[in-house]
Amino acid sequence: MFSHNKRLQYSVRVSECNPALANLMLEQFGGPQGELAAAMRYFTQALAEEDPGRKDMLLDIATEELSHLEVIGSIVAMLNKGAKGELAEGVAAEAELFRSLQGAGNDSHVTQLLYGGGPALTNSGGQLWTAGYIDSIGEPTCDLRSNIAAEARAKIVYERLINVTTDPGVRDALGFLMTREVSHQKSFEKALYAIEPNFPPGKLPPMEPFDKVYVDTSQGPGNMRGPWNSDEHFEYVDGKDARAVDGGDGQASVELSTPQAQAVEAMARRTASDPERDRPTGADIGGEKKR
Ligand code: MN
Ligand code: MN
C-alpha cells in the first residue's frame, strides 16, 4: 500500500513567478522522460517481477519517482502561482496579463487557460501523457537495459532544464532530481550484471555465424573500422556482395494447396500487364497543347 508524507523529498524554493519556465518544467512532469513515466515504468515492472531483490528495488525506485513527480509538479505550481492568482482575479489589464502569461513566447498562456496554472500531465509542448511512453517487455535483461537508457535520458533532460534556468532554487532542486537519475542508473546497471548470463537477452541462442557478422551496408566514403566492427567478436563483410547470407537462392517461397495455387494464378492472369499496350492516359491528354 502507499502512504503519503506531506514533506517533499527535496525543498522547492522558487524565487519568482515564471509561467514560461513552468511550461518547460512540464517536460519532466508529463513528458516521455518524466517522473510519471518513470514511476509507472518501474511500478508495473515490480508487480510482475519474480526475483525478490529486483522486485524490492523496482518498488523502491518507483516510489521515489512519485516523490520526484511531487517535486517537479511543485516547481511548476510555484512558477505559475503568481500568474494563476492574477488570471483568476483578473487584476491586470487584459493585454498586459496576456503578455505576462505568455512569458518567453511558448504556450504557457494555454497552460494557464486550460489547466489554471496547475501541473498538467502533458509534456512541455502540450502533448498529453500516454502509457505508450512505457516500453517494458517483461524480460528482466531487456527491461533493465531500457531502464538504464530511460534514466540516462531523464538525466539529460534535467541537465538541459538546469541550463535554461537562472533561478537558484529551481536549479538546486533540478540538480537533486538529475542526481537521483544517475543513482538509479547505477542500481539498474548493477542489477543487470547481477544476472548471468545477461547477453543476449532471452533463452534462445543466436544463429551462428550470423551473430558475428558486421555488414558494411553503407557504401561510399566515410567507412570506418573500430572495435564495434573489428575485434574478435566480428567478421567484417563487404555489403557490395549481395548474395543471400544463408547460401540459398534468396527467393521467397511458400507451399500452397492446389485450390490456393489455382486462385493465385487466376488473380495473376486477371491483373497481368501487357507490355505491348500503350494507351493514352489522363497525363497525356492533359499535357496536349491547344491548337
Ligand atoms: Mn526521477
Ligand atoms: Mn529515476
Side-chain angles (χ1 to χ4, degrees), residues 4 17 20 25 29 56 58 63 70 99 102-103 123 149-151 165-166 183 197 209 213 220 240 261 269:
H4 186 259
C17 176
M25 297 299 148
F29 192 75
D56 180 40
L58 287 163
T63 308
E70 198 176 23
R99 243 194 325 276
Q102 208 176 15
N123 77 350
E151 294 292 338
T165 317
T166 52
S183 311
V213 172
K240 277 205 293 283
R269 261 199 314 276

Side-chain angles (χ1 to χ4, degrees), residues 35 38 42 61 65 68 151 154 177 180-181 184-185 188:
E35 301 294 353
Y42 308 139
I61 298 181
E65 302 295 16
H68 295 177
E151 294 292 338
L177 295 174
R180 294 305 298 158
E181 312 309 8
H184 296 161
Q185 185 171 346
F188 290 137

Side-chain angles (χ1 to χ4, degrees), residues 9 28 33-36 38-39 42 61 64-69 151 154 158 176-178 180-181 184:
Q9 195 191 9
Q28 285 304 81
Q33 324 308 337
E35 301 294 353
L36 181 65
Y42 308 139
I61 298 181
E64 181 176 350
E65 302 295 16
L66 284 175
S67 303
H68 295 177
L69 185 70
E151 294 292 338
Y158 276 124
F176 169 76
L177 295 174
M178 179 193 78
R180 294 305 298 158
E181 312 309 8
H184 296 161

